[in-house]
Amino acid sequence: MLTKLSVSGFKSLDDVTVHFGPFTCIAGQNGAGKSNLFDVILFLSDLTRMPIMDAARRVRDRSEKPGGPIASIFTRTRDGMRDTMAIAAEFIVPGSVVDDFNQRAEPSVALLRYELELRFTPTDEVESERILLVKEALRYIPKSEFRGALFPTSGMFWDSVKGGTKTSPFISTSEDKDSIFVHQDGNGKSGRPERFSALGARRTVLSTISSVDRPTAFAARREMESWVLLQLEPSALRKEDEFSTPSDVKVSPTGAHMPATLRRLGADGLIASRLSELLPDVGELSVDIDERRQTKTLVMTNKDGISFPAKALSDGTLRFLALAIMHADRDAGGVICLEEPENGIHPSRVSAMTRLLRDMAVDPQEAVGDDNPLRQVIINTHSPLVVQSLRTADLVVCGSYRQDGATYTDFSFVAETWRAALMPDHHPTSLGTLVAYLSKPEEADWSQSETVRQRLETQLTLPLREIAH
Ligand SMILES: Nc1ncnc2c1ncn2[C@@H]1O[C@H](COP(=O)(O)OP(=O)(O)OP(=O)(O)O)[C@@H](O)[C@H]1O
Ligand SMILES: [Mg+2]
């Protein structure tokens, strides 16, 4: 569970910090930098399983063969670009972790901070453009310090999160930034740290940790791997499952495997009743098994007893259904990012959608466990309707400001919510200002002309600027 992210030098994110709750909505106008925030979260996730350059190419291009210039992920300035980026993420890892060989282990602590610094090097006589690993660190954050920077929780929630103590780091970088060390994990183990040369490293050291011999660093890697962007695609949502689909399958980030997951969960009634909040006509959900074709198909039966296979259901219904299945699936954990969930949903049903998304996230008033998995949901929106359907404590305001000819992203929050206490130097906004900022209808076609666009870009800065003075 990602609780805090600080970023400098990544796209329009320069010197920003965001505190996340179990459920967070990033609200801001077009071009403010909402998706850039998702980009950096997914970049961290990709870095745990692939070389740095591949992860950089995947930013905004999650196709099989992503391309494009890697320099574009570094902050552009009027005079050129920043050549260094720094990212620091604080997160909670689950109490146990399983590796690829099905070995289970327990991390020695659950509250961690991961820091990364990368530098861009342009093409020279020796090599083409590349990104160098400059610093990498993973360390424990003491419970009291962590709680001081956290969303409000109950004692039960907090007691169910493993504390532990570990004063030395799990991963560290030498002062001269020459070497990166992986240290012993504790649990009574001692021994020399393993040394990696930072210079010329093509991937992060964390991405090389693949067994539970170092359970805490491995749990950190697994945690970041679980940070995903849901991009629900109609074709995947409608797809049947083969008999060969593994029985422990989960709904994928594209929305595939709903029939097999529903079959495993057997919670058809619960999910159908959720779906009926969106479509009052829903009677039953079931999985049709075709022995001859060896397929499983999702079927919805309406109140009149008429059955429709997934193929016949609407896109909005299927998207809602995918989320409802994930909600019921205790194994579907991690950080789920979702862009503009209001798309394709009738305005009168937007609150059913936001209610479902909020319910998907872990309840910080209850203990973490099988019935309350450590699942987190982060959405973004520019819809005033979505914003008005949420609690103000769940909102992060995303705006932009201009400095020295370049546009940067700024994050704020609504006054008198928990983030205000954590960031006393920041100026909060009010819900009224936020809704007015999102609903300037005269600016709807701002992309049409360059002059209009420039004028509006200046105006877009106003809400946060006003707040800042
Ligand atoms: N390398 C970079 N350096 C500085 N700014 C950048 C860089 N790359 C992109 N941007 C800025 O990021 C902005 C786009 O941000 P983003 O895509 O996150 O917007 P958004 O809030 O998601 O908008 P929408 O609601 O339209 O999806 C662009 O307007 C551009 O100014
Ligand atoms: Mg966007």
Side-chain angles (χ1 to χ4, degrees), residues 27-85:
Q29 281 190 345
N30 294 116
K34 304 180 296 294
S35 300
N36 290 343
L37 183 68
F38 281 6
D39 287 342
V40 72
I41 293 172
L42 299 170
F43 181 51
L44 277 178
S45 179
D46 283 342
L47 283 171
T48 63
R49 63 190 140 214
M50 62 183 77
I52 298 168
M53 300 281 279
D54 291 355
R57 285 192 197 98
R58 264 171 71 83
V59 173
R60 276 305 158 95
D61 183 359
R62 307 188 76 72
S63 59
E64 292 225 334
K65 283 198 177 151
I70 48 163
S72 66
I73 67 165
F74 288 80
T75 302
R76 297 218 166 262
T77 60
R78 186 163 55 178
D79 311 326
M81 62 176 278
R82 219 44 65 75
D83 68 353
T84 306
M85 77 168 69

Side-chain angles (χ1 to χ4, degrees), residues 73-346:
I73 67 165
F74 288 80
T75 302
R76 297 218 166 262
T77 60
R78 186 163 55 178
D79 311 326
M81 62 176 278
R82 219 44 65 75
D83 68 353
T84 306
M85 77 168 69
I87 308 171
E90 294 184 8
F91 48 87
I92 305 174
V93 296
S96 81
V97 64
V98 179
D99 72 8
D100 293 343
F101 304 101
N102 225 9
Q103 272 182 284
R104 184 176 290 273
E106 291 192 357
S108 47
V109 297
L111 313 173
L112 294 162
R113 178 180 172 89
Y114 180 66
E115 291 173 20
L116 197 64
E117 215 177 288
L118 302 173
R119 183 174 305 137
F120 176 76
T121 307
T123 305
D124 53 30
E125 305 85 54
V126 189
E127 243 185 285
S128 50
E129 59 176 16
R130 57 206 181 276
I131 298 175
L132 302 180
L133 180 61
V134 180
K135 179 185 167 188
E136 190 175 358
L138 179 70
R139 69 174 172 85
Y140 164 66
I141 305 183
K143 244 187 156 178
S144 56
E145 187 186 327
F146 201 93
R147 196 172 192 183
L150 195 64
F151 50 83
T153 69
S154 70
M156 267 191 303
F157 175 91
W158 192 236
D159 291 343
S160 64
V161 173
K162 188 170 185 154
T165 51
K166 176 93 162 72
T167 45
S168 57
F170 297 94
I171 299 175
S172 66
T173 303
S174 61
E175 283 282 317
D176 57 12
K177 301 199 166 166
D178 242 13
S179 314
I180 298 176
F181 296 102
V182 181
H183 303 263
Q184 293 295 338
D185 203 303
N187 300 335
K189 286 187 187 170
S190 60
R192 287 168 66 84
E194 197 175 344
R195 180 187 171 276
F196 292 82
S197 171
L199 228 64
R202 293 185 187 276
R203 51 194 312 152
T204 63
V205 167
L206 190 70
S207 74
T208 68
I209 294 174
S210 58
S211 89
V212 293
D213 286 349
R214 300 187 192 279
T216 312
F218 186 66
R221 180 182 170 199
R222 273 277 194 264
E223 169 60 27
M224 283 192 256
E225 265 176 358
S226 77
W227 301 353
V228 297
L229 177 70
L230 284 196
Q231 286 181 302
L232 301 173
E233 293 165 9
S235 59
L237 289 163
R238 294 198 165 89
K239 216 167 165 342
E240 299 175 330
D241 270 316
E242 312 276 325
F243 274 14
S244 55
T245 307
S247 59
D248 61 349
V249 76
K250 287 182 263 185
V251 177
S252 81
T254 58
H257 304 309
M258 286 208 284
T261 312
L262 189 63
R263 181 95 180 149
R264 167 169 62 83
L265 294 175
D268 315 3
L270 200 77
I271 297 167
S273 96
R274 257 296 171 178
L275 189 60
S276 66
E277 289 180 23
L278 192 82
L279 289 177
D281 195 32
V282 172
E284 253 178 49
L285 276 176
S286 54
V287 180
D288 187 45
I289 308 285
D290 185 332
E291 297 284 350
R292 193 179 54 81
R293 289 173 54 236
Q294 304 236 313
T295 54
K296 297 173 188 172
T297 310
L298 198 131
V299 175
M300 192 268 277
T301 309
N302 73 8
K303 292 245 162 79
D304 295 323
I306 306 173
S307 293
F308 299 93
K311 259 189 186 162
L313 299 176
S314 76
D315 293 353
T317 305
L318 288 166
R319 272 200 298 270
F320 194 89
L321 186 54
L323 296 169
I325 295 176
M326 284 184 205
H327 172 232
D329 187 358
R330 55 185 59 164
D331 294 335
V335 178
I336 296 171
C337 298
L338 184 61
E339 295 250 13
E340 300 167 12
E342 69 277 15
N343 282 350
I345 300 277
H346 189 272

Side-chain angles (χ1 to χ4, degrees), residues 445-460:
D445 62 347
W446 60 274
S447 58
Q448 298 301 310
S449 98
E450 202 50 36
T451 346
V452 174
R453 186 187 167 126
Q454 273 165 8
R455 181 171 60 78
L456 291 170
E457 274 184 354
T458 321
Q459 286 183 8
L460 290 183

